[in-house]
Amino acid sequence: MKLLDTCSAWLAAAVAVTLVTAGVAQARPIEAIKKDGKIIIATEGQFAPFNFFEGAKLTGFEVEVAEAVAAKMGLKVEWKSLSFDALLTGLQQDRWDMVIASHGITEERAKAVTFTEPHYCSGGVIIAKTVFKSGADLTGKVIAVQTGTTYMENVKKVSAVKEVKNFPQDTDARAALVSGRVDAWVTDRFVGMSSLAANPKSGLKMGGFLFIERIASAVSKGNTGLAGEINKALAATMADGSYAKISNKYFKEDIRCK
Ligand code: ARG
């Protein structure tokens, strides 16, 4: 009995400490966000053409889609830009309401956050100085990927790869390939396409898909009220032509999941 009491006292203390360190922040329910009139959205800002800076201005396909979705919800957006690996963690700490940064829906991530419906479908492609068609072509090669991405996860699954080099930003992984420090770079298909188009003299070639994925925004785990409203608003942008207009502007095609 005595021991049990001591145990529960310790447990209570541990819970209290956890609450204090977490700042007792609560995930904002949709009602609180609506009352405030603005939604706080975090992204990276280094993943063109999805989220990037044009001078001091955050822009890109995902930034415009999120703004269209927020407008449908009657909300203004307060943007935050952070390193990629801080984004989902910040959701768990309730530092922002939503994250949109080209996250592929994975089982592992879905344990920590709640995903909305996907806003596009794509996949990881292999880019190199010659055409690498599939994972088999990565045998004995050194591959550059952005840390914490599904590219890293999937390249690691290719056991014949010699080495996976991680970079904090996808643009650093690309630079490593351009300067010949690695044999290939695995990134998003549309990121690769736009990078190749913007730098025709780089000598980089688009290879095959390593895997495909559905890309969605995320809210804090269990904030289904907010996720539901985002889903409704996203569907509305897809129904009224505004999504297609943004997609065509960046990709000359509609990249929604079919
Ligand atoms: N699609 C990949 C993933 O799910 C990469 C996302 C990278 N996004 C970014 N903003 N750098 O991990």
Side-chain angles (χ1 to χ4, degrees):
M1 194 62 200
K2 196 82 200 269
L3 183 66
L4 257 185
D5 281 351
T6 317
C7 284
S8 44
W10 269 107
L11 192 64
V15 168
V17 168
T18 313
L19 288 178
V20 169
T21 47
V24 275
Q26 284 297 307
R28 291 205 302 170
I30 181 67
E31 294 77 17
I33 295 169
K34 286 214 159 141
K35 206 167 150 215
D36 185 23
K38 74 165 199 238
I39 181 165
I40 306 171
I41 310 181
T43 189
E44 185 198 29
Q46 308 293 341
F47 202 56
F50 291 105
N51 56 78
F52 62 100
F53 282 92
E54 221 165 48
K57 192 180 176 278
L58 189 61
T59 187
F61 172 73
E62 291 182 303
V63 173
E64 290 201 37
V65 166
E67 275 172 357
V69 164
K72 290 267 183 233
M73 294 162 75
L75 298 170
K76 290 209 164 64
V77 180
E78 180 183 328
W79 284 102
K80 304 249 186 226
S81 75
L82 294 107
S83 63
F84 183 69
D85 62 359
L87 297 169
L88 296 186
T89 318
L91 267 185
Q92 287 164 264
Q93 299 162 344
D94 296 313
R95 291 169 63 201
W96 33 84
D97 302 307
M98 171 181 162
V99 164
I100 188 161
S102 288
H103 285 91
I105 302 176
T106 67
E107 250 177 62
E108 197 54 34
R109 287 172 177 164
K111 286 181 194 157
V113 300
T114 292
F115 279 108
T116 65
E117 290 296 321
H119 56 281
Y120 74 95
C121 269
S122 187
V125 288
I126 309 163
I127 297 176
K129 292 188 177 168
T130 54
V131 176
F132 286 173
K133 290 208 192 89
S134 69
D137 291 343
L138 299 185
T139 303
K141 304 285 191 240
V142 180
I143 318 300
V145 289
Q146 183 182 18
T147 312
T149 59
T150 49
Y151 316 130
M152 180 177 91
E153 202 182 294
N154 282 276
V155 171
K156 281 189 172 161
K157 284 187 199 153
V158 183
S159 56
V161 160
K162 184 175 170 201
E163 191 189 342
V164 185
K165 281 209 160 109
N166 297 309
F167 296 87
Q169 293 182 6
D170 191 59
T171 46
D172 302 327
R174 177 187 182 279
L177 173 62
V178 172
S179 66
R181 281 174 286 151
V182 299
D183 302 306
W185 162 45
V186 173
T187 189
D188 180 84
R189 171 170 179 256
F190 296 107
V191 170
M193 278 172 30
S194 87
S195 163
L196 264 52
N199 308 281
K201 293 201 185 100
S202 66
L204 303 188
K205 303 219 162 46
M206 172 73 67
F209 274 113
L210 196 59
F211 65 98
I212 54 164
E213 62 181 351
R214 293 171 355 119
I215 307 288
S217 54
V219 298
S220 74
K221 180 81 181 163
N223 197 350
T224 49
L226 174 57
E229 292 289 309
I230 294 170
N231 288 341
K232 255 196 269 167
L234 176 64
T237 68
M238 288 184 174
D240 74 359
S242 46
Y243 175 97
K245 199 170 158 209
I246 302 168
S247 186
N248 283 321
K249 170 179 164 187
Y250 285 95
F251 307 106
K252 299 192 178 71
E253 63 178 294
D254 191 320
I255 67 167
R256 78 183 71 185
C257 299
K258 283 159 193 122

